[in-house]
Amino acid sequence: DAKTTQPTSMDCAEGRAANLPCNHSTISGNEYVYWYRQIHSQGPQYIIHGLKNNETNEMASLIITEDRKSSTLILPHATLRDTAVYYCIVRLRSYNTDKLIFGTGTRLQVFP
Amino acid sequence: DGGITQSPKYLFRKEGQNVTLSCEQNLNHDAMYWYRQDPGQGLRLIYYSQIVNDFQKGDIAEGYSVSREKKESFPLTVTSAQKNPTAFYLCASSWAGLPGQPQHFGDGTRLSIL
């Protein structure tokens, strides 16, 4: 019951910007969008999150469309160590639940 | 170093045996979570706890049990009732009550059946 849609895989040249899209057309007004990445056999690593405004931190930038139905994660200068599966997630919170709804993510391959 | 520690990294279970996976955090987070990940899939929520001595079932709680006796600890027991326990188990924690606070994950425990 994932609420997000991402491409299965993407390639990016080392040193170039990696732009990872995500659709979340059913997102509610108070739901945040989170991005995590997972390298094989490790736990997911938190990257960034946002509600309405664009966000930037030391790892990445998050661009959220005005209607909030889609977003893009930007890795400004991809390195080989950025090769991972990237998950775009909407957090479902109600009176009796609090969970991150994971889809299958985008496998990003950074090549030399 | 602040973080979430899961142990052991690898665990093997015999048929009919209960096993317990450890999760400890020193981030002073209120909420803790257990997820299961199967190959090539995203994570699914097993149990979560917002405060000490309280926890709620997630989507796939059958065959699992948890306890939350201390704020920093949230062990998961995989019981013999869980017929397909082979998976990668991930523990997470976050601040509770504050909107938008992200969950942070440990490095997981990989459980296999002998």
Side-chain angles (χ1 to χ4, degrees), chain B residues 72-114:
Chain B
E72 60 270 22
S73 178
F74 191 41
L76 173 75
T77 296
V78 184
T79 75
S80 57
Q82 172 49 247
K83 298 307 179 187
N84 185 24
T86 297
F88 190 41
Y89 290 87
L90 289 153
C91 178
S93 69
S94 72
W95 297 108
L98 297 174
Q101 294 300 306
Q103 295 179 18
H104 296 274
F105 287 83
D107 279 336
T109 292
R110 194 167 296 278
L111 176 62
S112 301
I113 298 301
L114 289 176

Side-chain angles (χ1 to χ4, degrees), chain A residues 32 34 36 38 41-44 46 49 87 91 93 96-100 102-104, chain B residues 33 35 37 42-43 45 48 50 59 88 90 94 98 100-103 105-107 110:
Chain A
Y32 286 74
Y34 299 80
Y36 287 79
Q38 187 175 27
S41 294
Q42 296 182 19
Y46 165 75
H49 74 284
Y87 294 100
R91 187 172 187 172
R93 299 186 76 168
N96 66 345
T97 192
D98 178 6
K99 63 181 179 181
L100 300 176
F102 281 77
T104 52
Chain B
Y33 310 80
Y35 291 88
Q37 186 174 33
L43 281 64
L45 183 66
Y48 69 101
Q50 302 277 41
D59 296 323
F88 190 41
L90 289 153
S94 72
L98 297 174
Q101 294 300 306
Q103 295 179 18
F105 287 83
D107 279 336
R110 194 167 296 278

Side-chain angles (χ1 to χ4, degrees), chain B residues 17-106:
Chain B
Q17 188 181 47
N18 293 352
V19 291
T20 298
L21 284 61
S22 171
C23 178
E24 303 277 332
Q25 55 98 2
N26 60 3
L27 301 168
N28 202 31
H29 284 168
D30 308 293
M32 297 186 74
Y33 310 80
W34 274 105
Y35 291 88
R36 168 183 172 139
Q37 186 174 33
D38 292 285
Q41 298 187 29
L43 281 64
R44 292 182 290 167
L45 183 66
I46 304 173
Y47 269 99
Y48 69 101
S49 168
Q50 302 277 41
I51 57 173
V52 173
N53 293 322
D54 188 47
F55 48 83
Q56 284 76 42
K57 293 181 178 180
D59 296 323
I60 55 167
E62 185 175 351
Y64 301 98
S65 66
V66 294
S67 63
R68 187 84 186 278
E69 297 176 2
K70 299 186 297 182
K71 187 176 184 179
E72 60 270 22
S73 178
F74 191 41
L76 173 75
T77 296
V78 184
T79 75
S80 57
Q82 172 49 247
K83 298 307 179 187
N84 185 24
T86 297
F88 190 41
Y89 290 87
L90 289 153
C91 178
S93 69
S94 72
W95 297 108
L98 297 174
Q101 294 300 306
Q103 295 179 18
H104 296 274
F105 287 83

